[in-house]
Amino acid sequence: EEREIFSEELCDAVEKFQLEKTEQSLKLKAEIERPKLERMKMIMAEQMVDENMIEKIMREAWALIKSSGALDGLVPDEEQIEIRNFFAKNYVEITEMYRLYSPVNSRGGTHELDYIELCKFLTETEILGEEHSNVILRIFGESHVRGTKSKSSIHLQLNQTEFFVALTKIAGW
């Protein structure tokens, strides 16, 4: 019986020693790899989401939207802050959608969305169907905030800020 107790104590001591050794090994490896990780963070910083940059972009975009009056009469002022916050919170995802659909008809350009690209986005996501082409055209024309308000021209293009307006108008439709 004393042998069994001694054997169990010895096994526990060996297991504890192995755990400590593994923990020390992991800490040492982490210290060795830390400079590499820091360098990788610096290299990839441009590709990481920068919340301050998103806030700055949204502040400028929202100022343009507000000054254009694009949402006047559609969304009460108190709800416009909620919409702005939604766009800021989902900025990365919305930008990716915008970039995915903007090169559909423009030979690869991802900085503007034309009428055909907006239609493709709305029909593929099943937000609106092809039978709503008049509604899509109206929303497309009314979403311009850069001073070009031609409600019937499909030759205009939406920048990302105007895409935010279009999404808001679609939600209100």
Side-chain angles (χ1 to χ4, degrees):
E1 190 171 300
E2 284 181 33
R3 271 179 130 173
E4 286 181 25
I5 293 173
F6 180 71
S7 176
E8 285 179 19
E9 288 175 356
L10 193 56
C11 284
D12 289 343
V14 168
E15 189 176 309
K16 182 179 177 184
F17 176 77
Q18 288 176 333
L19 283 173
E20 288 174 357
K21 203 65 166 151
T22 302
E23 195 174 295
Q24 286 176 344
S25 174
L26 289 173
K27 285 180 181 178
L28 181 61
K29 187 174 182 177
E31 287 302 315
I32 291 170
E33 297 295 325
R34 189 171 318 282
K36 292 178 189 175
L37 291 171
E38 292 301 320
R39 181 155 166 74
M40 284 176 60
K41 278 169 96 177
M42 286 176 47
I43 291 170
M44 295 181 66
E46 293 177 9
Q47 299 172 21
M48 306 290 267
V49 175
D50 181 356
E51 297 296 328
N52 293 329
M53 183 59 75
I54 290 173
E55 183 56 35
K56 179 183 177 211
I57 291 168
M58 282 308 304
R59 200 172 29 253
E60 292 170 1
W62 205 254
L64 181 60
I65 291 169
K66 289 291 287 177
S67 68
S68 74
L71 301 181
D72 293 348
L74 177 67
V75 181
D77 286 342
E78 57 275 0
E79 290 180 25
Q80 289 184 19
I81 297 300
E82 291 178 42
I83 293 169
R84 183 214 177 275
N85 292 341
F86 171 82
F87 286 137
K89 180 181 175 188
N90 298 288
Y91 182 81
V92 173
E93 293 82 2
I94 294 169
T95 298
E96 289 303 315
M97 283 190 312
Y98 179 80
R99 289 181 181 161
L100 176 67
Y101 282 94
S102 60
V104 168
N105 193 46
S106 61
R107 298 183 184 165
T110 59
H111 61 285
E112 291 187 324
L113 189 82
D114 67 22
Y115 172 72
I116 293 171
E117 295 160 345
L118 181 64
C119 286
K120 185 136 179 88
F121 164 71
L122 294 174
T123 55
E124 283 187 359
T125 56
E126 298 179 358
I127 295 171
L128 294 174
E130 291 179 11
E131 67 276 8
H132 297 104
S133 61
N134 288 338
V135 173
I136 297 170
L137 180 60
R138 192 176 106 230
I139 289 170
F140 180 80
E142 292 176 354
S143 296
H144 290 85
V145 296
R146 295 176 287 177
T148 52
K149 288 200 178 224
S150 175
K151 291 182 169 68
S152 61
S153 179
I154 62 170
H155 302 293
L156 298 173
Q157 295 179 323
L158 301 178
N159 64 23
Q160 189 167 350
T161 299
E162 294 165 332
F163 184 61
F164 292 145
V165 174
L167 291 176
T168 305
K169 288 183 177 284
I170 291 163
W173 182 76

